[in-house]
Amino acid sequence: MARIYEALAEIVGKEYISDQAEELFIYSRDPGTMDPKKPDYVVLPRTTEEVQAVIHLANREKVPVVPLGGGLALSGLSRPLKAGIVLDMKRMNKILEVNEKSRYVVVEAGVSQGMLQAYLKKNYPHLKHSIPDSPPAATIAGNVLIHGSGHLSQATGFHSEMLNGMEVVLPTGEICKVGSCSATPYWFSRAPLPDLAGLFLGWHGTTGVVTKLAIKLYPNPALKDVMIFLTENPDHMPDILFKVTGTEMVEDLNVSATQLPDYMEGLQLTLIYVTANTSDELAFKERTIRETLRSYIDEKEGGFMVVPTFAKGRFLEAPLREMTKFSDTKKGGGFEYVGAIMPIELFPKAYRKGVEIAAKYDTPYSMAIRIIGRAHCMMFAYAYAFNRADENDRKNAQRALHESNTVALEMGGIPWKAEEPAQQLILKQMNPETIKLMNKIRAVLDPNGIMNPGNWEVR
Amino acid sequence: MEYADIIHRCFRCGYCKFTREYQDFNCPTYRKFWFETYSPGGRMWLLRAWLNGEVQSSKRMAEIFYSCVTCGNCVEHCALDFRDNLVDIFVAARGEMVEKGLVLPPVRDYLKNIRIHGNPYKEPQQERARWADGLGIEQYAGQEYLLYIGCVGSYDERGTKIARAVASVLKKTGLSAGILGNKEPCDGNEVRLLGESELFQEMARQNITMFKELGVKKIVTLSPHSYNAFKNEYRELDGNFEVLHYTEALNRLVEEGKVSFSGLNETVTYHDPCYLGRHNDVFDAPRNILRAIPGLALAEMSKIKKNALCCGGGGGNFFTDIIGSGEGAPGRDRIREALETGAKAVATACPQCAKMLEDAAKAEGVEDRIKVMDIAEIVEAAGMRTAAD
């Protein structure tokens, strides 16, 4: 152990490695419900070469390596299931390049959502990236790699679809580039090359350590507004979402359904975000959207909520601080959600299951749905707040989450950024040949099995 | 421990580490050490684990808590309802460490020196007013204001220069004020922040009694740390004085047209001291003074006011230096931010900040490119004029 510690200290500097009880405690857990798993070391690399040296060492010593971004997935993905080295990537925090005309940015893997947002606001106010509603400490890389979604996902898809390329330290230590950057000085696209990005997306750090990546940027219109459409019948939701996305005038589209406060129970709030460069354009878009939903209004099946100006701010904020406040629902500092990816026609069933599961576990239901890519699918989140100081309550939320994962799969959805137990549920019903392919890929890439072992493993 | 019923409510979301617009991490210890343990959220989770017995007392645990500079950035940016208590929680944790005898040697030495000598410098009380030699500053004898200097202004080499500048400027304005001279006691602000609340209360009660016996109604302070203690902490112990920082007193005179300046051709940036700015919302008075100086161009840093980065001296670190030096030291970061503005001088209004930043400029090797000056020193250089002139 001392030998490994000394070798790691030699690589990153003694200030940036710890095997102390305090760091091992904090890095053994995330804010969600999953049980802690202790690492042996926490290491803070500054460069790709340092990451490479750590990987070489890990191979020599057969020590697991677990990359960590913001640590805010909530599903325990950065817990070292089989101990080893946690690589906290946040010191690699340089914004390397903005290509204004081709609208992309190249960043190191530790750059946070908040820092990129602020950097663009200051230096390129006409450009923006898709901001998830996770706190600003979430990293760009982490969110892309888990197939995250955000404020531009309705228009442009998962954040992994906004990835142009990346630099990866492979499990055997080679520094590899993926996308146009592998053959040119530009990071403009993954096409037209064989798309190797899939070797790293959604794998939960089991196939390498991403050290740099490029993501697409988008125009940032001057005006932004939110319209809120209220309904009380979840059966209408697929049609409403289909119609609204069909207007091609919506930047972001979410649905919120919560049991608390009492007066919100039974309602579905469709939050329709519209952007424009002029007030005329904004008015036209909002008028069009209203007309699209006219039949629901005429039949008294729904209506637009009057949102006072003072209340709009909290809906228009990016990221939404309100999401974090959900953790304080029980004055207990904890929440986790199952964000199941599923087709929008499953909305009514998914909604009713959410109400049912929450009642079973004696907790208020809270569901948040983000529409991905013009309703090609949706991320349907079942959120459960819990009291961190009450072990029974944490376990209760854990069970509710597991049942939500099970139900999502039974309905035809797939749990997103699945906890290790949920990964097992997915693998259980996955095509066996797909599993074989995954195993073959890992065996080739990671012959010593050092990368985040315990994830995506068939028991 | 006080607040033990709320520490589990931290979600560890990390808003506390940033500025309001998220342009940068702004928690000085997180920026310095980069381990989550050194972030406010990490401290909250560790504290709970420590109180529950999940992690044991250790030197590192003490370092994690005593490196906090109590700058209040976390209080400002936390997304949750208990945000106002964050610094108080960390101070309460230090209190637990004091009670259990777990403090680090520099903290122990600081508290010991206060107990034995009445100041952290181990200097004799009869030397306390030496800073004022030759200035002709009046002793307090019922003037409108008590001018309170504090330990740093009384004994520190850099602090005494600032004390002389502040006292001279105020004297010239004709402000009715006097000092306590060799009778001036320590205000106790850092004693409280280092977790010795009982000693602080003892000191504060004695000081309140003394001030009342002398008939003090209004206090003007040199240091934002004293200002904070008198304005916020003494009040809870029935010490109800009208308290001003000297920049507030001076700014009033500027606004009333009672003082003006010949001018100073200099580009200056301003560093907000945490205990003047974030803790007490005094942002404008120092800036107004600078803006009133003809020829002076105020070039603001990217992180100012509630988003200002601490110099690294708060929470007792000016004396204990648990946060330590090196390239990632907050003072050096702040000097780099000041240099980005193109300013030739960084102004501040706190002797602790001035010393921390001056040392940081030397460590960065840029002391010839940027000077660190107290507002009072700038005012002197700008040729302050009063009606008497």
Side-chain angles (χ1 to χ4, degrees):
Chain A
M1 293 289 271
R3 188 184 67 246
I4 296 172
Y5 180 91
E6 291 302 325
L8 288 167
E10 185 71 23
I11 294 167
V12 296
K14 61 181 177 3
E15 306 95 319
Y16 301 117
I17 173 173
S18 175
D19 62 354
Q20 301 289 298
E22 291 75 14
E23 278 72 39
L24 302 190
F25 175 85
I26 291 291
Y27 285 86
S28 66
R29 59 201 73 217
D30 77 1
T33 63
M34 300 307 292
D35 299 338
K37 298 283 180 184
K38 250 186 198 173
D40 297 310
Y41 314 94
V42 180
V43 172
L44 314 176
R46 184 72 195 87
T47 64
T48 300
E49 288 68 29
E50 287 180 6
V51 173
Q52 182 183 40
V54 171
I55 295 293
H56 282 314
L57 174 74
N59 274 290
R60 282 198 305 275
E61 300 288 349
K62 308 286 186 290
V63 181
V65 175
V66 180
L68 167 74
L72 290 160
L74 308 186
S75 48
L77 296 182
S78 54
R79 294 170 308 141
L81 299 180
K82 297 187 179 173
I85 301 164
V86 168
L87 269 185
D88 182 339
M89 301 295 287
K90 289 190 282 296
R91 281 182 72 222
M92 294 186 65
N93 64 352
K94 290 197 203 82
I95 296 168
L96 299 168
E97 179 196 348
V98 171
N99 186 319
E100 195 174 357
K101 286 288 177 284
S102 292
R103 292 198 184 104
Y104 66 77
V105 60
V106 185
V107 298
E108 288 186 329
V111 168
S112 67
Q113 300 286 343
M115 281 183 191
L116 179 59
Q117 181 183 1
Y119 181 84
L120 293 173
K121 187 176 174 184
K122 181 180 175 191
N123 299 294
Y124 300 92
H126 53 292
L127 293 175
K128 64 180 172 184
H129 77 292
S130 181
I131 298 167
D133 279 321
S134 48
T139 59
I140 302 289
N143 196 267
V144 164
L145 292 172
I146 60 169
H147 291 300
S149 56
H151 287 214
L152 294 172
S153 286
Q154 192 291 130
T156 52
F158 290 104
H159 288 166
S160 46
E161 295 174 69
M162 303 174 195
L163 174 73
N164 280 2
M166 51 185 154
E167 176 191 86
V168 189
V169 178
L170 299 179
T172 39
E174 298 88 349
I175 299 171
C176 179
K177 287 188 169 176
V178 168
S180 62
C181 65
S182 67
T184 84
Y186 300 100
W187 295 64
F188 56 84
S189 168
R190 281 145 63 183
L193 301 170
D195 192 2
L196 297 172
L199 292 173
F200 308 100
L201 295 168
W203 286 82
H204 302 341
T206 58
T207 52
V209 182
V210 173
T211 46
K212 294 186 182 80
L213 71 162
I215 59 164
K216 294 182 194 333
L217 300 174
Y218 299 88
N220 186 19
L223 303 174
K224 184 173 183 178
D225 196 15
V226 60
M227 307 164 73
I228 301 180
F229 192 70
L230 288 173
T231 43
E232 282 187 288
N233 184 349
D235 291 330
H236 294 323
M237 287 310 304
D239 183 57
I240 289 169
L241 297 172
F242 184 78
K243 282 184 167 147
V244 171
T245 52
T247 63
E248 294 278 28
M249 290 183 181
V250 179
E251 184 173 280
D252 188 15
L253 184 58
N254 295 277
V255 184
S256 169
T258 59
Q259 197 169 348
L260 296 176
D262 291 350
Y263 54 82
M264 300 306 286
E265 187 174 357
L267 295 173
Q268 301 93 45
L269 279 71
T270 304
L271 286 84
I272 305 166
Y273 289 90
V274 184
T275 54
N277 282 310
T278 66
S279 51
D280 283 350
E281 183 191 351
L282 191 71
F284 170 72
K285 285 180 170 176
E286 293 188 342
R287 203 164 54 243
T288 305
I289 291 163
R290 280 176 197 278
E291 280 309 307
T292 301
L293 297 176
R294 169 67 58 196
S295 61
Y296 287 98
I297 298 168
D298 291 345
E299 289 162 23
K300 303 202 183 313
E301 289 289 327
F304 281 95
M305 185 173 146
V306 178
V307 188
T309 310
F310 72 85
K312 274 199 177 177
R314 74 186 182 98
F315 291 110
L316 291 169
E317 195 178 28
L320 291 172
R321 288 165 80 91
E322 292 296 317
M323 298 290 267
T324 289
K325 289 180 183 172
F326 184 69
S327 70
D328 210 31
T329 306
K330 292 187 169 182
K331 306 286 181 221
F335 91 85
E336 189 184 330
Y337 61 95
V338 164
I341 310 300
M342 57 177 81
I344 63 164
E345 59 265 36
L346 293 181
F347 191 107
K349 194 172 177 183
Y351 176 92
R352 291 191 173 96
K353 283 289 183 187
V355 173
E356 198 180 303
I357 295 168
K360 179 177 170 184
Y361 288 92
D362 194 24
T363 189
Y365 72 77
S366 183
M367 292 172 269
I369 298 92
R370 167 158 272 138
I371 306 309
I372 314 284
R374 296 175 176 81
H376 294 132
C377 62
M378 62 184 170
M379 188 279 293
F380 200 109
Y382 302 99
Y384 302 101
F386 61 93
N387 183 353
R388 192 174 301 287
D390 179 347
E391 184 61 6
N392 289 333
D393 200 41
R394 180 180 77 90
K395 286 286 183 192
N396 186 55
Q398 202 180 64
R399 284 190 290 272
L401 287 157
H402 195 68
E403 184 162 338
S404 303
N405 279 319
T406 307
V407 163
L409 270 163
E410 283 169 3
M411 280 187 290
I414 299 174
W416 167 49
K417 57 183 167 105
E419 301 88 347
E420 190 272 334
Q423 292 168 27
Q424 294 302 320
L425 293 175
I426 296 168
L427 289 167
K428 204 183 278 181
Q429 71 175 60
M430 191 182 266
N431 177 326
E433 295 305 320
T434 309
I435 294 173
K436 276 188 199 167
L437 176 61
M438 286 171 69
N439 287 342
K440 278 183 196 169
I441 289 168
R442 283 177 77 173
V444 169
L445 285 176
D446 186 10
N448 289 318
I450 62 163
M451 290 308 306
N452 206 0
N455 281 282
W456 289 131
E457 278 182 7
V458 178
R459 280 188 192 144
Chain B
M1 193 196 90
E2 197 179 2
Y3 307 110
D5 57 332
I6 56 172
I7 50 175
H8 67 279
R9 286 172 63 191
C10 171
F11 182 54
R12 207 152 59 81
C13 59
Y15 276 95
C16 54
K17 293 193 279 193
F18 283 94
T19 57
R20 183 63 183 86
E21 298 283 322
Y22 320 130
Q23 79 255 48
D24 204 354
F25 289 125
N26 211 39
C27 168
T29 47
Y30 181 68
R31 288 170 63 98
K32 169 87 194 298
F33 297 100
W34 289 98
F35 286 107
E36 290 294 326
T37 37
Y38 286 83
S39 71
R43 284 192 182 94
M44 290 287 275
W45 282 39
L46 266 185
L47 176 56
R48 181 163 172 262
W50 182 54
L51 294 175
N52 288 346
E54 291 176 86
V55 290
Q56 304 307 310
S57 304
S58 68
K59 179 170 175 271
R60 191 169 183 92
M61 178 71 86
E63 281 171 356
I64 287 168
F65 278 88
Y66 276 103
S67 60
C68 170
V69 292
T70 67
C71 68
N73 183 74
C74 53
V75 173
E76 199 57 50
H77 301 115
C78 168
L80 298 172
D81 289 346
F82 53 84
R83 69 176 73 83
D84 289 344
N85 296 126
L86 284 172
V87 168
D88 298 331
I89 290 170
F90 303 143
V91 170
R94 292 174 172 190
E96 286 290 299
M97 291 177 183
V98 168
E99 270 191 28
K100 293 183 164 74
L102 301 171
V103 298
L104 298 163
V107 177
R108 180 199 61 209
D109 293 347
Y110 177 90
L111 296 171
K112 193 171 163 183
N113 290 333
I114 293 287
R115 186 59 98 176
I116 294 171
H117 303 283
N119 67 77
Y121 294 93
K122 296 196 269 189
E123 293 288 342
Q125 182 70 26
Q126 57 269 31
E127 299 288 322
R128 193 162 177 114
R130 181 173 277 186
W131 65 270
D133 283 355
L135 292 180
I137 308 294
E138 293 176 6
Q139 284 289 304
Y140 182 78
Q143 292 93 329
E144 185 179 2
Y145 289 95
L146 164 66
L147 172 57
Y148 181 85
I149 299 301
C151 295
V152 181
S154 299
Y155 295 113
D156 181 85
E157 191 187 349
R158 182 70 181 97
T160 54
K161 289 179 186 162
I162 294 170
R164 288 177 71 83
V166 170
S168 301
V169 164
L170 293 182
K171 184 184 173 198
K172 192 173 180 189
T173 65
L175 186 84
S176 169
I179 58 172
L180 292 174
N182 289 339
K183 290 188 180 141
E184 185 187 88
C186 174
D187 55 65
N189 193 61
E190 269 53 35
V191 172
R192 187 185 71 82
L193 293 174
L194 288 170
E196 230 313 4
S197 58
E198 280 186 27
L199 176 58
F200 167 74
Q201 291 193 11
E202 193 183 316
M203 294 166 74
R205 286 202 173 94
Q206 269 181 22
N207 294 347
I208 291 165
T209 303
M210 179 190 190
F211 293 169
K212 284 182 175 174
E213 282 173 2
L214 289 168
V216 173
K217 298 274 190 302
K218 298 179 184 179
I219 306 173
V220 60
T221 73
L222 164 74
S223 168
H225 297 252
S226 318
Y227 176 77
N228 182 68
F230 297 152
K231 190 173 178 189
N232 302 317
E233 305 302 330
Y234 280 35
R235 198 154 286 177
E236 290 184 13
L237 300 169
D238 200 27
N240 295 306
F241 308 103
E242 184 183 325
V243 186
L244 290 179
H245 184 253
Y246 87 86
T247 55
E248 292 180 295
L250 188 57
N251 183 48
R252 279 186 192 174
L253 298 170
V254 169
E255 286 180 344
E256 289 165 5
K258 291 179 179 165
V259 299
S260 60
F261 307 97
S262 301
L264 184 67
N265 287 320
E266 192 79 278
T267 303
V268 176
T269 191
Y270 175 68
H271 165 76
D272 290 278
C274 300
Y275 276 93
L276 190 60
R278 212 161 13 226
H279 283 283
N280 285 297
D281 287 331
V282 180
F283 300 112
D284 295 334
R287 287 180 169 81
N288 289 346
I289 296 167
L290 293 173
R291 288 196 187 100
I293 298 173
L296 187 148
L298 178 60
E300 294 279 18
M301 288 183 265
S302 60
K303 296 187 298 188
I304 59 169
K305 300 184 179 178
K306 290 189 174 178
N307 295 307
L309 176 65
C310 174
C311 69
N317 270 276
F318 178 80
F319 301 101
T320 60
D321 197 26
I322 310 293
I323 193 168
S325 55
E327 203 176 321
R332 291 179 67 174
D333 279 347
R334 194 59 169 159
I335 284 293
R336 289 192 283 269
E337 291 174 7
L339 283 169
E340 281 173 15
T341 66
K344 301 295 178 208
V346 52
T348 190
C350 168
Q352 295 192 20
C353 292
K355 171 118 174 173
M356 293 295 291
L357 294 174
E358 208 161 80
D359 288 350
K362 285 177 193 157
E364 284 284 294
V366 296
E367 67 268 40
D368 54 340
R369 288 172 56 196
I370 193 157
K371 289 175 287 188
V372 179
M373 299 176 78
D374 191 88
I375 294 272
E377 294 172 321
I378 289 178
V379 162
E380 283 192 320
M384 188 181 78
R385 291 185 301 232
T386 65
D389 298 313

